[in-house]
Amino acid sequence: MIEGFFSAAGMLLIMIGILFLCWFCTKKIAGVSTFKGTGGRIRLLDQAALGQDKGVALIQVGDRYWLLGVASENINVLAELDEDALGEPMTPDSPAVPDFKQILTSLKDRKR
């Protein structure tokens, strides 16, 4: 009976060890491959995903701003922006998409 307990406890310790080793390895791999943007000259200001392995990124290099299209195989410069074109950053209170009623009203007014 006691032998069964030690056998089960040993298997449990081995499983915990394997899980810890997997956790440690994934943390190590993620730390190496993650872009943190902590350099002194280039800053990643914002990014948005548009689909699987596709997105846009806004970066600052010195006093210049670039809008980049990022895909799994390449990166394209979409536009160079000046500081005035950036506008105010969106806050959590501001809606990301305008209200449907506002859109409909603006389209009606445009036709007249």
Side-chain angles (χ1 to χ4, degrees):
M1 172 111 172
I2 239 140
E3 292 173 8
F5 173 75
F6 285 121
S7 176
M11 291 297 283
L12 182 62
L13 286 175
I14 290 172
M15 289 301 293
I16 290 172
I18 290 172
L19 288 174
F20 177 77
L21 185 63
C22 289
W23 173 80
F24 181 76
C25 289
T26 55
K27 286 291 186 182
K28 209 59 159 155
I29 291 170
V32 169
S33 66
T34 302
F35 173 71
K36 297 180 182 171
T38 58
R41 292 186 170 88
I42 299 174
R43 287 183 21 192
L44 176 63
L45 300 177
D46 203 359
Q47 60 185 356
L50 300 176
Q52 185 176 357
D53 298 330
K54 294 179 181 113
V56 292
L58 179 64
I59 64 166
Q60 178 183 9
V61 181
D63 60 347
R64 299 170 78 180
Y65 298 90
W66 301 89
L67 184 64
L68 304 177
V70 181
S72 60
E73 304 249 341
N74 57 11
I75 298 173
N76 295 319
V77 176
L78 300 177
E80 181 178 357
L81 306 170
D82 56 357
E83 197 165 348
D84 297 333
L86 293 179
E88 293 295 319
M90 294 176 64
T91 62
D93 297 337
S94 64
V97 177
D99 185 31
F100 179 74
K101 185 176 180 181
Q102 291 174 345
I103 295 171
L104 188 59
T105 304
S106 68
L107 289 175
K108 279 188 201 177
D109 292 340
R110 191 182 302 170
K111 287 184 178 181
R112 294 179 188 171

